[in-house]
């Protein structure tokens, strides 16, 4: 079997077009959607992510505010900025780029963001709401994956889904969203005894491991839907310097029915869902303004 490829760039472009229309309508009502982004330190990958987010905002007609701090900034200074942004009615979304330097208590920083502006969906209250199937800002990467499954008409209800990875930002919320959508979900991680036993019986496999080309075709059920969240920069071999996912695309695409590539798969959907959450927050602000 040769898998059909899910084109994340095409889907992201379509959804971003809809978001741009909504942003323009809100701006016409006097509410210009606005995302504030905080970057601490000089991690090159974080700088690229922030640059991409800011540029995606601009293209969608979302205003962005960027605040850069040096590696040794005191947590108090960043917390003061968060308090200011929480109180600013012109700001609809606040994002603190992770990871933060050692002097920070990451959980405390995430909880200092107003729940109503937590467009990354990492605040403990939004996570709790998601776990109770209440309306919440959904974390962008797993939300983007759900959007991909939906756009491809993948039947999630009743499916056997295996999520590999249990991080707070991808694996755990991914498992929660699939559970809420009616899948029977198994979460595998570094302590899982026989990973292939689980992946071979899965209708849907989501890999969020951080290990290049780790999931190979022989670990998959023929016809499975394979979603590759991993983004890894290869350091050796003939492809050194290139990006690779957590799935070995060459062998997996021979077995899977549907597969996402890296790059051009989940990555573009992550930023798209950040824009979507910012516009949702702005439309709530517009509704409050209209009601006042
Ligand atoms: P993480 O390091 O926080 O978590 C990795 C998970 O993989 C852990 O839960 C660990 O238990 C599991 N794991 C490690 N080795 C394993 C093994 N041998 N078998 C089974 N499980 C194993 O990483 P993360 O933040 O969840 O990110 C995962 C990957 O997704 C990374 O490559 C990251 O760059 C990428 N990512 C991509 C996007 C995107 O927009 N596409 C967003 C976030 C993260």
């Amino acid at each position: 079997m040769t898998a059909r490829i899910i084109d994340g760039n095409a889907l992201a472009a379509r959804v971003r077009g809809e978001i741009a229309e909504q942003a323009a309508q809100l701006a016409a009502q006097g509410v210009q959607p606005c995302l504030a982004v905080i970057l601490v330190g000089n991690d090159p990958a974080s700088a690229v992510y922030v640059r991409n987010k800011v540029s995606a905002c601009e293209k969608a007609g979302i205003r962005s505010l960027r605040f850069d701090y040096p590696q040794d900034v005191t947590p108090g200074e960043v917390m003061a900025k968060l308090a200011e942004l929480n109180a600013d009615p012109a700001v609809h979304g606040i994002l603190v780029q992770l990871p933060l330097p050692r002097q920070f208590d990451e959980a405390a920083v995430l909880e200092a963001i107003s729940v109503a502006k937590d467009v990354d969906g990492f605040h403990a209250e939004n996570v709790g709401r998601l776990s109770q199937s209440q309306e919440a800002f959904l974390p962008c990467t797993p939300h983007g994956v759900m959007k991909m499954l939906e756009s491809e008409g993948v039947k999630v209800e009743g499916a056997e889904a295996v999520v590999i990875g249990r991080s707070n930002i991808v694996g755990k919320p991914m498992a929660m969203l699939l559970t809420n959508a009616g899948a029977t979900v198994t979460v595998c991680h570094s302590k899982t005894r026989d990973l292939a036993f689980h992946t071979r019986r899965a209708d849907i496999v989501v890999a969020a491991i951080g290990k290049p080309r780790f999931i190979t075709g022989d670990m998959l059920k023929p016809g499975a839907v394979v979603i590759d969240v991993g983004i890894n920069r290869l350091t050796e071999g003939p492809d050194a310097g290139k990006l690779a996912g957590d799935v070995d695309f060459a062998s997996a695409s021979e077995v899977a029915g549907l597969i996402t590539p890296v790059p051009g798969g989940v990555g573009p959907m992550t930023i798209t869902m950040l824009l979507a959450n910012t516009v949702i927050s702005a439309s709530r602000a517009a509704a409050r303004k209209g009601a006042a």
Side-chain angles (χ1 to χ4, degrees), residues 141 165-167 169 189-190 208-211 214 229-232 270:
T141 300
R166 55 173 164 176
S167 71
I169 63 167
H189 45 75
S190 54
I209 311 163
K211 295 197 167 156
F214 191 72
V229 176
I231 301 179
N232 309 289
T270 294

Side-chain angles (χ1 to χ4, degrees), residues 81-102:
K81 178 53 76 180
L82 285 176
E84 191 190 305
L85 295 168
N86 282 341
D88 185 344
V91 172
H92 307 107
I94 302 171
L95 177 156
V96 177
Q97 185 65 44
L98 301 178
L100 288 167
R102 273 204 213 140

Side-chain angles (χ1 to χ4, degrees), residues 49 140-142 164-171 188-192 195 207-211 214-215 228-232 244-246 265-271:
Y49 292 143
C140 301
T141 300
I164 314 157
R166 55 173 164 176
S167 71
N168 288 338
I169 63 167
V170 189
C188 297
H189 45 75
S190 54
K191 309 287 182 219
T192 297
L195 181 61
I209 311 163
K211 295 197 167 156
F214 191 72
I215 304 297
D228 190 353
V229 176
I231 301 179
N232 309 289
D246 290 343
V266 175
M269 287 306 291
T270 294
I271 295 189

Side-chain angles (χ1 to χ4, degrees), residues 28-109:
Q29 293 169 40
V31 178
Q32 164 100 59
C34 174
L35 174 69
V37 182
I38 292 183
L39 172 64
V40 182
N42 38 28
D43 176 52
S46 292
V48 172
Y49 292 143
V50 165
R51 213 168 48 231
N52 290 345
K53 287 169 188 176
V54 165
S55 132
C57 279
E58 272 167 27
K59 287 184 189 136
I62 294 172
R63 186 173 156 235
S64 63
L65 305 172
R66 186 175 157 167
F67 303 95
D68 286 20
Y69 292 95
Q71 185 81 10
D72 60 356
V73 67
T74 62
E77 199 175 324
V78 174
M79 290 298 215
K81 178 53 76 180
L82 285 176
E84 191 190 305
L85 295 168
N86 282 341
D88 185 344
V91 172
H92 307 107
I94 302 171
L95 177 156
V96 177
Q97 185 65 44
L98 301 178
L100 288 167
R102 273 204 213 140
Q103 69 271 28
F104 283 86
D105 172 350
E106 232 166 60
V109 172

Side-chain angles (χ1 to χ4, degrees), residues 5-231:
I5 295 171
I6 305 178
D7 185 344
N9 283 324
L11 177 61
R14 204 163 70 230
V15 179
R16 285 186 202 193
E18 293 162 15
I19 291 169
E21 274 175 30
Q22 290 162 6
Q25 278 169 16
L26 285 163
Q29 293 169 40
V31 178
Q32 164 100 59
C34 174
L35 174 69
V37 182
I38 292 183
L39 172 64
V40 182
N42 38 28
D43 176 52
S46 292
V48 172
Y49 292 143
V50 165
R51 213 168 48 231
N52 290 345
K53 287 169 188 176
V54 165
S55 132
C57 279
E58 272 167 27
K59 287 184 189 136
I62 294 172
R63 186 173 156 235
S64 63
L65 305 172
R66 186 175 157 167
F67 303 95
D68 286 20
Y69 292 95
Q71 185 81 10
D72 60 356
V73 67
T74 62
E77 199 175 324
V78 174
M79 290 298 215
K81 178 53 76 180
L82 285 176
E84 191 190 305
L85 295 168
N86 282 341
D88 185 344
V91 172
H92 307 107
I94 302 171
L95 177 156
V96 177
Q97 185 65 44
L98 301 178
L100 288 167
R102 273 204 213 140
Q103 69 271 28
F104 283 86
D105 172 350
E106 232 166 60
V109 172
L110 295 178
E111 293 203 24
I113 298 171
S114 157
V115 177
K117 298 186 181 186
D118 172 39
V119 286
D120 250 343
F122 294 159
H123 191 292
E125 188 173 325
N126 273 317
V127 177
R129 294 177 71 87
L130 165 62
S131 79
Q132 294 183 346
S133 308
Q134 293 183 42
E135 193 176 81
F137 280 123
L138 303 178
C140 301
T141 300
H143 189 195
V145 171
M146 294 306 288
K147 198 87 186 161
M148 287 181 125
L149 296 174
E150 185 192 307
S151 83
E152 293 294 328
V154 173
K155 193 168 185 310
V156 175
E157 194 176 287
E160 289 287 338
V162 168
V163 176
I164 314 157
R166 55 173 164 176
S167 71
N168 288 338
I169 63 167
V170 189
K172 280 185 204 156
M174 187 74 250
M176 201 67 78
L177 283 169
L178 287 164
T179 303
N180 289 352
T184 302
V185 182
T186 303
V187 180
C188 297
H189 45 75
S190 54
K191 309 287 182 219
T192 297
R193 278 206 298 262
D194 185 351
L195 181 61
F197 164 80
H198 297 284
T199 54
R200 276 192 198 118
R201 54 173 192 77
D203 304 309
I204 300 170
V205 173
V206 181
I209 311 163
K211 295 197 167 156
R213 299 175 175 166
F214 191 72
I215 304 297
T216 46
D218 59 321
M219 298 170 74
L220 300 170
K221 174 166 140 179
V225 176
V226 179
I227 306 289
D228 190 353
V229 176
I231 301 179

